[in-house]
Amino acid sequence: MDQIAFVGLERQIYTVDPDGSHPQRISPETGNFTWPTWSPDARSLVFSGVVEDEGGDFRLSLFAFDAGTNKVRELYVAEPGVTGVLAAGVVHYPLWSPDSTRLAFIAVTSQGLTLFIDDLRDSLGATPILDQDVDIYIQEAE
């Protein structure tokens, strides 16, 4: 895929062709979304979101967009009541495997910062690997 992903002024995620044609909103209809990150093979895009549910509560979620099928799925949902972020505007910190099949990401959990691994070839979900007790380190800007 030869597309650019960006966050619009209304905090929605879009893709567009390099010449600016064919803009497409890919994020769900409600919520504020950020940090679109293409996989190395450019077939998938992950992005974070703060989504309001039917009851008026907010949840922090990590989404994946499949550019081949144009489908979005929710990969990870923070525990109820966990609303912490890594830094201003940074809900998750995703890193792709070189072969684009796995995603590592850091999220705030009730244990503190937690590193997860998700094999996107299955539907088992993300597996927590490390938590704050083993010194996951993110430096805050001064």
Side-chain angles (χ1 to χ4, degrees), residues 56-135:
D57 293 325
F58 291 93
R59 71 179 190 275
L60 304 178
S61 297
L62 184 65
F63 296 89
F65 168 72
D66 183 317
T69 64
N70 281 332
K71 293 188 179 180
V72 173
R73 69 178 169 133
E74 206 167 21
L75 293 178
Y76 172 79
V77 179
E79 302 162 74
V82 173
T83 57
V85 295
L86 302 174
V90 182
V91 181
H92 306 99
Y93 188 79
L95 296 163
W96 285 95
S97 65
D99 67 359
S100 302
T101 62
R102 292 176 185 85
L103 183 72
F105 64 93
I106 297 173
V108 176
T109 67
S110 59
Q111 302 297 312
L113 296 179
T114 301
L115 174 66
F116 292 87
I117 300 288
D118 194 341
D119 187 332
L120 301 178
R121 297 169 294 186
D122 63 37
S123 61
L124 298 177
T127 302
I129 303 298
L130 300 171
D131 62 33
Q132 187 65 42
D133 293 336
V134 291
D135 295 329

Side-chain angles (χ1 to χ4, degrees), residues 3 8 27 35 37 48-50 52 56 62-63 66 87 107 125 127 135 137:
Q3 293 187 312
S27 52
W35 292 104
T37 305
S48 297
V50 179
E52 186 175 1
L62 184 65
F63 296 89
D66 183 317
T127 302
D135 295 329
Y137 178 75

